[in-house]
Amino acid sequence: VRRAVIFDLDGTLVDERAAADAAASRWSASHGQRVDDAAARWAEIGERHFLRYQAREISFGEQRRARVREFLGAPLRDEEADARFADYLRLYEEAWTLFDDALPGIARARAAGLAVAVLTNGDAEQQRRKVRLLGLAPEIDHLIASSTLPHGKPHASAFAAALERLGCGPDEALMVGDSLSDDAHAAIAVGIPAVLIDRTDRHRHAAVPRVRSLTEIDYAS
Ligand SMILES: [Mg+2]
């Protein structure tokens, strides 16, 4: 019997990429950078340093500074890099937005009698803030962020931590996320059924259950 659903946050409930792109364009323009490829460059640089943070090579604060220094090509002091990142962060938070199907999708899970957890690779404080500002907090029973865990997704222990919080076994839960590797494949590898949310049909050949809207998920099966 299904008792819980575990949602990924960024790219699944929150349109994180759109927010980051909008903020990057505005922020880089304010630093006199060429705007046409700013968002893509900022994202590429960010992903690289975020992976180092996830591998616990550098701290959350250090990956932000490294990102600013590389993007601006300037050997900024820590305080300068922090100040520039804070400017970006303000624009980024202003642009945070839910996907249209996020609240209806969670409501359907609730209507099916399921507990709702969010398992996200990221900083607990930032993700809590995001969930609160977007009005998601009352809809979520548990928020589990990788910064509070020994490892993030796709590590098996991240899913085990979510199941423990939910008090249910792997086959009583359903994982829903936009990452084929970190959400879908990783959950299935530990025995949690998974659904890939693929709004743009990027993974049409993936051999996992796939939906284009969170409102399409069949929680009964
Ligand atoms: Mg995601």
Side-chain angles (χ1 to χ4, degrees):
V1 176
R2 182 148 294 146
R3 294 173 52 204
V5 58
I6 306 168
F7 289 105
D8 166 56
L9 186 60
D10 291 323
T12 296
L13 299 174
V14 177
D15 194 353
E16 195 271 342
R17 187 57 196 261
D21 286 357
S25 294
R26 292 179 58 195
W27 180 75
S28 66
S30 76
H31 284 97
Q33 300 269 324
R34 280 175 52 236
V35 175
D36 49 352
D37 71 336
R41 249 190 88 224
W42 178 247
E44 184 275 319
I45 292 169
E47 275 158 31
R48 208 153 13 81
H49 293 295
F50 197 77
L51 283 175
R52 294 171 64 212
Y53 157 67
Q54 294 227 286
R56 316 273 152 129
E57 291 170 20
I58 54 176
S59 72
F60 193 66
E62 283 162 349
Q63 57 91 21
R64 288 176 162 182
R65 289 178 204 125
R67 188 179 186 186
V68 170
R69 289 183 181 118
E70 181 173 340
F71 184 84
L72 295 176
L76 303 173
R77 288 183 294 114
D78 281 1
E79 311 82 78
E80 288 173 323
D82 287 345
R84 307 267 176 111
F85 196 90
D87 292 339
Y88 164 75
L89 205 55
R90 205 162 35 246
L91 297 169
Y92 173 56
E93 293 191 1
E94 279 171 20
W96 278 345
T97 176
L98 291 174
F99 285 110
D100 289 343
D101 56 344
L103 288 171
I106 295 173
R108 287 184 78 254
R110 289 221 166 276
L114 304 184
V116 175
V118 166
L119 176 61
T120 171
N121 279 357
D123 178 66
E125 196 181 322
Q126 183 179 45
Q127 299 299 58
R128 282 195 190 289
R129 183 172 160 74
K130 190 180 287 178
V131 157
R132 187 163 41 79
L133 289 176
L134 291 173
L136 276 181
E139 314 297 330
I140 293 169
D141 299 305
H142 305 282
L143 173 68
I144 302 112
S146 65
S147 69
T148 66
L149 305 173
H151 304 279
K153 297 174 289 184
H155 199 279
S157 64
F159 296 93
L163 292 175
E164 193 186 322
R165 286 278 290 278
L166 286 161
C168 71
D171 56 353
E172 296 175 312
L174 178 73
M175 178 73 208
V176 179
D178 70 308
S179 168
L180 184 58
S181 57
D182 291 1
D183 297 317
H185 285 160
I188 291 167
V190 296
I192 304 175
V195 171
L196 184 72
I197 171 73
D198 185 13
R199 295 184 177 85
T200 55
D201 247 352
R202 265 196 321 148
H203 300 289
R204 64 179 66 90
H205 303 299
V208 300
R210 199 168 60 95
V211 292
R212 294 193 63 175
S213 165
L214 298 178
T215 59
E216 290 170 19
I217 297 170
D218 177 8
Y219 290 105
S221 69

